[in-house]
Each structure stands twice: as structure tokens, then as C-alpha cells.
Amino acid sequence: MIATVIKYCGILLCCHYSFYKFLNIKIQHKITYLYNVLFSVVMSVGMYFLRPVAPYSSLLLMVLLSTIFLKFITHTKPVLSATTSAISFSYSYIIFSILIIISSFIFFLLNIPYSDNLYGYVIVAITIFMFCLVTLPFRLRRLKNGMPFLKNKGESDSGIIISFIILSCIILLSNNNNGNMIYSVFVILLIIFGALLYIWWRRQITKTYRRKMLEKQLVETKEELKKLKKNNDGLSELIHKDNKLIPAMQLIVKELAESYETLSGEELKEKKTKLIEQLDKISDERKGILKEYQKCNKVLPKTNVLSVDAMMNYMLKKAYNFDVNLDLCIFGSIKYMADNIINESDLTTLLSDLSENAIIATKNCKTKNIIVNLGIKNNEYFLQVIDSGADFDAKTLSNIGKKRFTTHANDGGSGIGMMTTFKTLKKYNASLIIEEMRKTDNGFSKSITVNFDKKRQFIIFSPRADKLLNIVLRDDVEIKNKIC
């Protein structure tokens, strides 16, 4: 009796476990575990007494009662409960049958005769192994969410047919008390349809994944169309205003040209001053419209690292608050960089600190441009921030990374950012390269580059290298002259 109760109890518990996993249902209350165990024990005892009386219908009754129990305890729809129960029982019985076949084969090879006592120990061992094997597929990344497609109408038809054939084979096999060889056909069918159930599961997961990806792409396309429409509306508004501003500017120039010969020197000078003021006003108005358009519609390229994208968008908005133009350039896979070179949190912090420092250094300048470069170059991953702000103060270069120091305290600078940056450099043995340049037409004055090269260098390139050598007295800094 004990062996039979353990056998059915193990199958029922594995079936219930599979049911929850297939539908990806999380058990909210611990008492639910107790209900499942009590039902399995009571049902197993009932099966012990029912099997001799109704050998064929007892298994169907067990499946039916389990379906009703699981339907009420999980609050799932009747059809979904019946479908998932059938698949769960098939899955649990296949594992149980495989273990029975393996154990029988082992006993046959070792020529060990079966006995009632031995049967009891074998059933206990098989039940333990069954618990372990049932959980294995759900540990795989592709299958860990079970069979969410069962909730979709029509997706489980093939699975039901396969499960029905498996259950039929199991019912017939469980009544083979005479050892008739004809029943070996059902063993073969059980193995074949067990394999088909697994293949169907994987294919449905792939199908569901592709459908979700298609739906995601559709949503992204709709969002992109919305952005393009908004962008188009913004451009239309800009063109509409240009159509008014350009004729106005044309009229001002025409008036100045026509009055050039008729007005006296003082009158012409006064007229010219007034017209120039009008031109400047119109030009400033257009600049304001263009800036507002850029502020509302500019989109930075995606890195596919959620926290990095969120932080760079925040920096873009912060830069625009100070009329600073910020751009991002990506080289290679930033996802790979965040997974293998520097962890996502450190990368985000590093970008945040260096970008914010560039905004603070640039916001009060006449030219306000920042470019953030991120990715791989010459087989090394790097992070670079180029800006048009003022050069580093020599005292800043003397203290940078050693202690909190800033010359922008009134603008929100604290020096904490660079201290954090140096800790990150030390953590990854990365190199820091500061490059100062003479201002060119693009207005850029300096760049800060973090190279993940495992060299842990600190190099300063500057046209004023000779001056800095006498002020920045540090053993850990290499100062080189740069003529540009």
C-alpha cells in the first residue's frame, strides 16, 4: 500500500508543480502548498482502493478531480485548467515511465529479481528522481516561463492531442499485469509522443517569442511614426514662420538699399542702425524657434542599455536648460561593453559625472557644445567627453583624484564626481587622458577620455605643457606637449 500511495502522490505533486509552472502562476500563500499536498495524499489513498475495482477509469477520474481542484485553487478558466492538467499529467507520467524503464533495464542487466520490498524502495527512489527531473526544463532560459501560449485560443490543440495519446498509452500500460509483449508498442508510442510533446513545447515557445517580437516591432514602429509626425509638424511650423521672417528681412534690406541715395548721412546712419536692430530681432526670434524645435525633437542614438539611455536623455534635457548643445556618438556594442568591460552601474555613473562636469564648464561660455563618444576604438573600449568649456585650472589638475576640489562651486560643482571617476579608474585599471586644444572653428577646447586598456595611466596633452610641468607636481601624471 505504502509504495502505491507514494507512487501516485509523487505523480500528483509533480503534476501540480508542472501545472503552476506551465501557466507561470506564482503561489501567493503558503497554505496553498498544504492544500496541494493534502489533496495528493487523499487522492493517492483513494487510488489504492479504486484501482482494483476500476483499473481503466481510475486514472481518468484522478485527472478529472485534479483538474477541478486546480481550477478552483488557481481560479483559471475550465478549458485552460483541463488543457494544462492533461499536459501536466502527460509530462509527469512520461518522466515516471522513463525512470521505470531505466530501473527495469538496470535490474535486468544485474539479474536482480523483483520483490515487494524491493519494489517499495525502487518507487521511493524513482519518486525522488522524478521531483528532480520535473524541474529541469523550467531551469532552461527558453522554457523557464512555462507555456504562456496555452492562454491563447487555439494554440494548445496539438498539445491536447499529443497528451490524450500519451494518457491513453499510460492507461493501457498500467493494466499490463500479464507482461504481454504487445504492450511494448505502447512503450514505444509513449517515448515517441513524449519527444513530440517536448518538440511542440519548444516550437510554441519560439512561435510565441517571434510573435511578441513582431508585436514589439509594431509598437516601436507606431511610436517612431508618432515621433516623425511630431517632427514633421515642428518642421512645418518652422517653415511657416520662416515664410514670414524671410520676406520681413528682405523688406528691411530693400528699404535700406532704396533710402541709401535719398537720405543724408545722419538720417542714413539712424535708419541703418534701426534696420540692423530689426534684423537682429528677427534673427534672434528665428534662433529661438530653432532652439525650441531642437529641444523638443532631438533624439540621441540608443545604446540598448536602459540606464545609460535614461541618463543620457536626462543630460540632454539638462544641457538644453543652459542652451548647451549635447550630442552622443556610439561606436560598437555598448550592451557588450556593459556586460563584459564595465558594469552598467559604473558606466552610467562615469558618463553622468563627466557629462555633468562638461555642462557646468560650458554653460557660461559663448560657444556651448558637448560631444560624448562611447564604444570601441583600436580594439579598446573607451568613453570620451569633448566640450567647448574653459581649460582646466592648474590647481584642479594638481588635486584631481586626490581630494575634492572644484573651481565651479558657484555653478553647482562639488569635486565629488572626479573623485568617483578616479575610484572607477582604479577598479578597472583604466587610463585617463586629458587633451587640451586651441580653439578651432567648432569651438571645442578639451576632451577627457577613459580608456579601458588595463594600463592605469594618467596623461595630459596640452599646448601649455611647459607651464603645467612647473605647477602640476605629481608622480602619477605624465604631461606631454601638444601643438595644435
Side-chain angles (χ1 to χ4, degrees):
M1 176 182 176
I2 299 296
T4 305
V5 171
I6 290 172
K7 169 188 167 181
Y8 287 113
C9 192
I11 291 170
L12 281 164
L13 286 173
C14 287
C15 168
H16 290 199
Y17 171 83
S18 304
F19 185 96
Y20 287 105
K21 284 293 184 179
F22 284 147
L23 295 180
N24 200 17
I25 296 172
K26 308 293 181 186
I27 295 177
Q28 303 295 328
H29 306 289
K30 290 183 179 180
I31 196 167
T32 306
Y33 292 105
L34 181 61
Y35 290 152
N36 281 279
V37 172
L38 286 174
F39 176 84
S40 300
V41 171
V42 172
M43 192 72 223
S44 300
V45 172
M47 284 295 291
Y48 173 77
F49 292 104
L50 190 63
R51 283 287 289 165
V53 181
Y56 289 99
S57 59
S58 57
L59 280 174
L60 290 175
L61 183 63
M62 184 173 71
V63 174
L64 179 62
L65 291 175
S66 289
T67 301
I68 295 168
F69 169 78
L70 290 168
K71 180 251 180 293
F72 283 106
I73 204 166
T74 60
H75 306 289
T76 49
K77 294 179 180 179
V79 175
L80 180 60
S81 297
T83 302
T84 312
S85 291
I87 294 171
S88 299
F89 265 103
S90 300
Y91 173 62
S92 301
Y93 257 109
I94 284 169
I95 292 173
F96 179 80
S97 300
I98 290 170
L99 290 171
I100 285 288
I101 291 167
I102 291 170
S103 64
S104 299
F105 185 69
I106 291 170
F107 280 99
F108 174 76
L109 287 178
L110 298 175
N111 198 24
I112 301 173
Y114 252 51
S115 64
D116 290 341
N117 289 334
L118 185 61
Y119 176 74
Y121 290 121
V122 170
I123 288 297
V124 171
I126 284 175
T127 303
I128 293 168
F129 276 112
M130 189 167 64
F131 281 123
C132 298
L133 289 176
V134 162
T135 64
L136 280 180
F138 302 108
R139 294 178 185 177
L140 299 176
R141 189 170 61 87
R142 284 188 66 186
L143 307 178
K144 66 179 181 180
N145 291 322
M147 297 183 179
F149 51 83
L150 291 174
K151 297 174 184 178
N152 302 327
K153 191 177 180 180
E155 294 283 349
S156 56
D157 293 349
S158 300
I160 293 171
I161 294 168
I162 294 170
S163 299
F164 177 77
I165 295 170
I166 290 170
L167 287 172
S168 299
C169 291
I170 289 165
I171 290 169
L172 292 169
L173 279 171
S174 64
N175 290 282
N176 180 24
N177 299 321
N178 301 320
N180 196 326
M181 287 300 293
I182 194 69
Y183 284 92
S184 59
V185 175
F186 298 118
V187 174
I188 295 168
L189 286 174
L190 188 66
I191 293 169
I192 291 170
F193 281 95
L196 285 175
L197 184 66
Y198 179 73
I199 292 167
W200 170 78
W201 184 4
R202 286 180 62 91
R203 284 187 177 177
Q204 287 297 114
I205 288 289
T206 303
K207 185 179 174 182
T208 304
Y209 172 76
R210 286 175 179 169
R211 186 174 64 247
K212 282 185 177 179
M213 288 300 295
L214 192 62
E215 288 172 355
K216 184 182 177 184
Q217 287 175 0
L218 188 62
V219 170
E220 287 176 353
T221 303
K222 285 181 179 178
E223 288 296 320
E224 193 65 32
L225 284 171
K226 282 181 183 178
K227 286 180 183 177
L228 286 172
K229 187 179 182 302
K230 187 180 177 182
N231 202 6
N232 188 49
D233 291 342
L235 282 171
S236 299
E237 187 180 346
L238 189 63
I239 291 166
H240 177 72
K241 289 186 178 180
D242 272 358
N243 287 336
K244 293 180 179 179
L245 290 174
I246 292 170
M249 293 171 75
Q250 185 183 15
L251 183 63
I252 289 170
V253 175
K254 191 175 180 182
E255 283 180 5
L256 182 62
E258 287 175 351
S259 60
Y260 184 76
E261 294 180 355
T262 58
L263 296 174
S264 63
E266 284 298 321
E267 289 175 325
L268 183 63
K269 187 177 179 181
E270 185 181 343
K271 180 79 171 175
K272 185 172 69 173
T273 302
K274 188 177 179 181
L275 291 175
I276 288 171
E277 286 176 358
Q278 285 180 292
L279 268 175
D280 287 340
K281 184 180 178 181
I282 292 170
S283 179
D284 288 341
E285 185 182 346
R286 190 187 185 281
K287 281 180 183 176
I289 294 167
L290 191 59
K291 267 185 185 177
E292 191 60 33
Y293 169 76
Q294 288 176 333
K295 183 176 180 179
C296 295
N297 295 280
K298 185 169 183 178
V299 179
L300 294 176
K302 298 287 183 185
T303 66
N304 294 322
V305 180
L306 188 63
S307 61
V308 172
D309 288 332
M311 189 278 301
M312 287 307 301
N313 283 323
Y314 170 73
M315 285 297 161
L316 176 67
K317 290 175 183 176
K318 189 169 186 176
Y320 269 123
N321 289 334
F322 299 105
D323 293 326
V324 175
N325 181 45
L326 187 146
D327 287 295
L328 173 65
C329 298
I330 296 171
F331 306 89
S333 172
I334 309 307
K335 185 76 174 68
Y336 178 88
M337 185 180 182
D339 289 340
N340 300 278
I341 308 300
I342 172 174
N343 74 52
E344 188 176 328
S345 177
D346 289 336
L347 177 60
T348 305
T349 303
L350 199 59
L351 272 169
S352 174
D353 289 336
L354 294 180
S355 300
E356 189 166 36
N357 285 346
I359 292 169
I360 291 171
T362 309
K363 67 181 184 180
N364 294 321
C365 297
K366 186 177 179 181
T367 305
K368 304 178 181 185
N369 293 321
I370 297 172
I371 295 177
V372 178
N373 294 321
L374 187 63
I376 188 168
K377 185 179 179 182
N378 299 328
N379 295 321
E380 288 177 355
Y381 278 88
F382 76 103
L383 185 164
Q384 183 182 53
V385 178
I386 310 171
D387 67 64
S388 59
D391 290 337
F392 279 112
D393 186 90
K395 287 183 179 179
T396 301
L397 294 174
S398 297
N399 292 283
I400 192 170
K402 287 188 170 183
K403 62 180 181 179
R404 285 173 55 180
F405 186 87
T406 180
T407 55
H408 296 283
N410 294 331
D411 294 322
S414 64
I416 296 174
M418 285 310 295
M419 289 297 294
T420 306
T421 297
F422 269 78
K423 284 181 182 177
T424 306
L425 293 171
K426 185 178 179 181
K427 181 178 178 180
Y428 295 98
N429 288 319
S431 296
L432 181 70
I433 300 169
I434 294 176
E435 185 176 345
E436 295 180 341
M437 55 196 88
R438 292 192 175 94
K439 286 202 174 183
T440 56
D441 292 337
N442 60 20
F444 292 110
S445 58
K446 66 178 183 295
S447 70
I448 299 178
T449 306
V450 176
N451 278 337
F452 295 94
D453 54 8
K454 302 292 183 182
K455 293 180 181 178
R456 203 174 164 186
Q457 296 176 319
F458 182 10
I459 304 172
I460 299 173
F461 291 99
S462 176
R464 52 177 182 146
D466 294 337
K467 181 181 177 183
L468 291 175
L469 283 168
N470 296 322
I471 302 171
V472 183
L473 305 174
R474 295 176 58 160
D475 296 331
D476 61 335
V477 179
E478 188 178 355
I479 301 174
K480 296 183 179 182
N481 192 43
K482 181 177 179 64
I483 302 171
C484 58

